[in-house]
Amino acid sequence: MLLRHCLALALAVSLSATVAADEAKPAHTPSPKELLAKSQPQEWRTPDPQNLLVMQLPQGRVLIELAPDFAPLHVANIRTMAHEHYYDGLAIVRVHDNFVTQWGDPASDDNGDKSKLKSLGSAKDKLPPEYTRPYDAKLPFTALKDGDFYAPEVGFSEGFPVARDQANHQEWLTHCYGMVGVGRDIDPETGSGSELYAVIGQAPRALDRNIAVVGRVLQGVEYLSGLPRGTGPLGFYEQPDQRIAIGSVHLAADLPADQRPAIQVLRTDSATFAALVDAKRNRLDDFYRFPVHKVDLCSVSIPVRDAKTLH
């Protein structure tokens, strides 16, 4: 009788411990794939072909969405250069590990032959700095509640990571991974867009408000980040044969309709994007035992998809 009672008690304790252990397990957090699978068609947008650069490298195609709301003069100049084929035949001249990949005219390097500089055509060689823009409450903005070290407020506007300072009436694009900026010399007006770079490392946010940021790589960033690193100062290639030739850079609007990329970007004001951010912030599953309940602006990826694969 006593043995039966002890066995029953042991079983009850074991069952209680099992229930407690199950209750202690973190709840399942939907994966990005699961969340995106439930997204609705209206939550995706198609970039304006006037704002979509198509860069062809030997390694593959790179798509860059321009941001005219934040750097209208530079974007207009870049469009002009793309229209007039300025970038065709130029090269990637610099790949600085954990920092940037930069492309432009090799003759513009400090040791380059300036007599061989390619003409900018009808594009301007100097522009006023567009490091910030006036704060505009009408501009779309999805705030990130987690705070930021570099700005009073951060979030997303039309698919771009943005910082805002309402007290000083300013907002600006931030140097997150994949963002595209304008190379310049010491003079702030020397950045025309003839030299561009993409961030391929840890976000260099100290550059915010010091350089014009003009867009973001939507697709093909691996072709920029996976290149051999330059061995010269600041990651410049020291020998001409190290450079990667640019086949062409077109505006999607200049391509025949059937040759334009069928790219779609998840709207950053959508419910699915909010769910993705929240899932990243509160990661709970069998692997992530201790969620941080915070998310950094530059750690949030904005999903992109090929519309042709949906059918």
Side-chain angles (χ1 to χ4, degrees):
M1 192 72 177
L2 179 61
L3 178 60
R4 187 180 299 170
H5 176 73
C6 289
L7 288 174
L9 181 62
L11 179 60
V13 171
S14 176
L15 288 172
S16 177
T18 301
V19 171
D22 288 341
E23 290 177 349
K25 285 184 179 179
H28 171 69
T29 300
S31 69
K33 184 177 181 180
E34 290 171 324
L35 290 169
L36 290 173
K38 297 178 181 179
S39 65
Q40 301 300 308
Q42 65 270 19
E43 294 185 297
W44 297 84
R45 64 179 180 85
T46 300
D48 185 339
Q50 286 285 353
N51 294 328
L52 189 63
L53 290 179
V54 183
M55 179 163 68
Q56 194 65 48
L57 300 177
Q59 293 79 4
R61 186 183 70 176
V62 180
L63 301 181
I64 298 169
E65 184 175 17
L66 300 172
D69 283 336
F70 288 87
L73 299 178
H74 286 82
V75 167
N77 220 37
I78 291 168
R79 285 195 192 114
T80 296
M81 285 184 269
H83 280 311
E84 299 178 0
H85 305 284
Y86 168 77
Y87 300 105
D88 298 3
L90 299 187
I92 291 175
V93 297
R94 174 191 182 198
V95 182
H96 193 163
D97 189 45
N98 198 34
F99 190 37
V100 300
T101 292
Q102 184 170 323
W103 57 95
D105 188 341
S108 67
D109 290 352
D110 290 341
N111 298 320
D113 183 352
K114 300 299 188 291
S115 67
K116 296 182 179 180
L117 279 172
K118 189 172 184 178
S119 170
L120 293 181
S122 57
K124 296 178 172 60
D125 62 349
K126 287 190 176 183
L127 291 172
E130 292 181 300
Y131 305 159
T132 67
R133 58 151 294 154
Y135 169 74
D136 183 358
K138 295 180 180 179
L139 197 68
F141 185 76
T142 302
L144 198 63
K145 68 181 182 180
D146 306 83
D148 185 71
F149 184 76
Y150 291 91
E153 187 179 19
V154 293
F156 299 91
S157 179
E158 301 177 312
F160 299 100
V162 172
R164 305 202 304 188
D165 183 349
Q166 296 189 49
N168 289 302
H169 202 64
Q170 290 182 342
E171 51 191 324
W172 58 93
L173 295 178
T174 61
H175 275 82
C176 294
Y177 185 82
M179 294 298 284
V180 175
V182 174
R184 68 170 176 86
D185 291 328
I186 298 299
D187 181 352
E189 294 193 357
T190 53
S192 65
S194 60
E195 292 189 8
L196 298 170
Y197 63 85
V199 177
I200 61 162
Q202 186 172 350
R205 294 284 304 280
L207 290 177
D208 291 358
R209 292 186 288 179
N210 287 287
I211 293 182
V213 183
V214 294
R216 180 175 79 95
V217 177
L218 296 182
Q219 194 176 69
V221 70
E222 66 273 18
Y223 302 128
L224 299 172
S225 62
L227 296 172
R229 273 40 181 166
T231 55
L234 302 178
F236 279 93
Y237 289 127
E238 296 181 278
Q239 301 299 325
D241 61 0
Q242 294 177 298
R243 299 170 183 144
I244 292 85
I246 296 173
S248 62
V249 176
H250 298 288
L251 272 179
D254 290 341
L255 297 173
D258 61 347
Q259 295 180 24
R260 294 176 186 175
I263 201 79
Q264 292 183 337
V265 184
L266 186 67
R267 297 183 62 91
T268 49
D269 58 356
S270 67
T272 295
F273 181 74
L276 285 167
V277 174
D278 195 57
K280 191 175 185 69
R281 180 187 291 124
N282 301 300
R283 192 70 189 163
L284 286 168
D285 56 35
D286 289 337
F287 183 84
Y288 288 91
R289 307 299 296 187
F290 300 101
V292 295
H293 301 301
K294 286 277 188 179
V295 68
D296 175 77
L297 174 71
C298 288
S299 70
V300 177
S301 299
I302 302 172
V304 174
R305 70 183 185 184
D306 188 339
K308 292 181 181 177
T309 65
L310 302 177
H311 305 293

